[in-house]
Amino acid sequence: MYHDFNYESTLASSLRAQWQLDDVLREDQELDFSRNFMPESLARTAAVPGLNAFEQRILNQISAHQYLSIFGIVEEAILPFLMDHARPHLLNDDWRIRALLNFAGEEAKHIHLFKRYHAAFVRGFPVECEVIGPSEAIGAEILRHDPLAVGLVILMIEWMTQQHYLGSIRDDQDLDPLFKSLMKFHWMEEAQHAKLDTLIVDVLAEGRTEEQISDAIDEFFEIGEFLDNGLKAQASYNLDALEKVIGRKVENRADIEAQQHQAARWTYVGSGMVHERFKATLLNISANAAARIAEAAPVFA
Ligand SMILES: [Fe+2]
Ligand SMILES: [Fe+2]
């Protein structure tokens, strides 16, 4: 086997790592809007030409608003996927069902946490930032695909959160400690989710022919393209919000939009796509599947 993950020990580490919402952000806590929220490795706002330091920080915070919104949306899609996957196995294996239900419970808590951060963001930010949606429609579009394709997209997302926290502590910049906490606490629980999702994907891929796997990878790319179009639209909304705050139109708007879209591609797709553990799962399913996804990865770098 290419990993040593199992339901019993993953549940045990989940229960040890568990936290409450108030450990991360109390309802009355305020974000520090004098600081950046997102690590530069993800937001890439210091690299935007033509903006002064204040404007770069505003764009960085808008990128954090995007983080809260996009994760809210994808985690809302993960929850029904998990419930559907768990439902047929309710009586089969005690460790497995407890681990899966605990995983679902944690994702519901994360949705709650992202909403709490979002509310704090809205309280402190001068303008309303528009978001793609509605989240129900985005979730329905993702979930209509082959469960193996959906499982792989979710696995990619689980591993990418590991990269996000490591990226944020590696950056020696002055981030708002509360936003850093969000990344840290999410990382702690997602480490177990990624293992459980690996087990889910292994099951979904079992017994499939090379052709059936190839079809699922086609659908994986369909979901990827759908998400990418959403990120492109979101980059434009983000620039609208920036212009509202700074009270002027930015020069080279198309270039900035493209650069910020690329940053989002890395944050929400690429950083998971190239994760070694994600690649190991793909390789275990099919060398061809791994090669196809590796070939697409540079677009999301
Ligand atoms: Fe999560
Ligand atoms: Fe998760």
Side-chain angles (χ1 to χ4, degrees), residues 13 25 76 91 103 115 119 123 130 132 151 219 232 238:
S13 356
L25 184 75
E76 277 178 31
L91 299 175
F103 179 0
K115 281 186 187 156
R123 282 200 300 277
E130 201 172 340
I132 54 169
E219 296 204 26
K232 188 165 192 282
N238 292 351

Side-chain angles (χ1 to χ4, degrees), residues 37-63:
F37 292 170
M38 289 291 283
E40 177 61 19
S41 57
L42 302 178
R44 300 182 186 173
T45 44
V48 174
L51 299 184
N52 64 36
F54 166 77
E55 293 167 342
Q56 284 175 354
R57 195 173 67 231
I58 293 294
L59 188 58
N60 181 288
Q61 291 167 355
I62 293 169
S63 153

Side-chain angles (χ1 to χ4, degrees), residues 201-237:
V201 166
D202 289 347
V203 168
L204 291 171
E206 222 168 58
R208 296 215 189 197
T209 64
E210 188 62 37
E211 196 189 340
Q212 287 167 331
I213 287 167
S214 179
D215 290 346
I217 300 300
D218 289 345
E219 296 204 26
F220 172 88
F221 282 119
E222 268 177 43
I223 300 171
E225 199 187 332
F226 170 70
L227 291 175
D228 188 38
N229 287 334
L231 294 175
K232 188 165 192 282
Q234 187 59 50
S236 181
Y237 287 154

Side-chain angles (χ1 to χ4, degrees), residues 63-272:
S63 153
H65 177 269
Q66 165 178 267
Y67 196 86
L68 300 173
S69 308
I70 299 291
F71 264 96
I73 290 169
V74 294
E75 303 233 327
E76 277 178 31
I78 293 174
L79 195 50
F81 173 82
L82 283 175
M83 300 312 287
D84 288 349
H85 184 77
R87 174 96 206 176
H89 304 291
L90 288 179
L91 299 175
N92 293 352
D93 172 343
D94 293 337
W95 292 118
R96 178 181 184 175
I97 194 61
R98 287 185 59 202
L100 291 176
L101 290 179
N102 183 64
F103 179 0
E106 287 179 355
E107 291 297 26
K109 183 177 69 181
H110 296 176
I111 293 169
H112 197 166
L113 181 70
F114 280 108
K115 281 186 187 156
R116 192 177 271 196
Y117 268 87
H118 188 264
F121 186 95
V122 169
R123 282 200 300 277
F125 200 69
V127 306
E128 194 189 327
C129 302
E130 201 172 340
V131 185
I132 54 169
S135 57
E136 296 85 343
I138 296 176
E141 174 58 26
I142 295 170
L143 293 170
R144 76 170 176 83
H145 289 89
D146 181 334
L148 177 56
V150 180
L152 282 169
V153 168
I154 293 172
L155 183 63
M156 181 176 79
I157 292 168
E158 309 287 11
W159 285 123
M160 81 176 52
T161 60
Q162 303 302 291
Q163 156 68 31
H164 290 174
Y165 174 60
L166 297 175
S168 78
I169 48 169
R170 252 189 232 128
D171 272 5
D172 56 344
Q173 55 180 327
D174 203 17
L175 296 185
D176 172 28
L178 285 175
F179 224 88
K180 219 166 171 170
S181 274
L182 171 71
M183 300 256 180
K184 182 182 175 186
F185 282 89
H186 200 209
W187 167 76
M188 279 163 61
E189 289 189 347
E190 292 295 323
Q192 276 68 249
H193 296 183
K195 292 179 187 172
L196 293 175
D197 231 319
T198 301
L199 294 166
I200 291 175
V201 166
D202 289 347
V203 168
L204 291 171
E206 222 168 58
R208 296 215 189 197
T209 64
E210 188 62 37
E211 196 189 340
Q212 287 167 331
I213 287 167
S214 179
D215 290 346
I217 300 300
D218 289 345
E219 296 204 26
F220 172 88
F221 282 119
E222 268 177 43
I223 300 171
E225 199 187 332
F226 170 70
L227 291 175
D228 188 38
N229 287 334
L231 294 175
K232 188 165 192 282
Q234 187 59 50
S236 181
Y237 287 154
N238 292 351
L239 270 272
D240 292 344
L242 174 69
E243 289 180 339
K244 261 195 275 176
V245 177
I246 67 178
R248 68 177 175 90
K249 299 275 175 214
V250 293
E251 282 167 51
N252 313 322
R253 169 151 174 161
D255 294 344
I256 299 178
E257 236 177 76
Q259 187 265 0
Q260 284 294 293
H261 175 211
Q262 197 59 34
R265 281 176 152 177
W266 168 249
T267 302
Y268 304 102
V269 184
S271 54

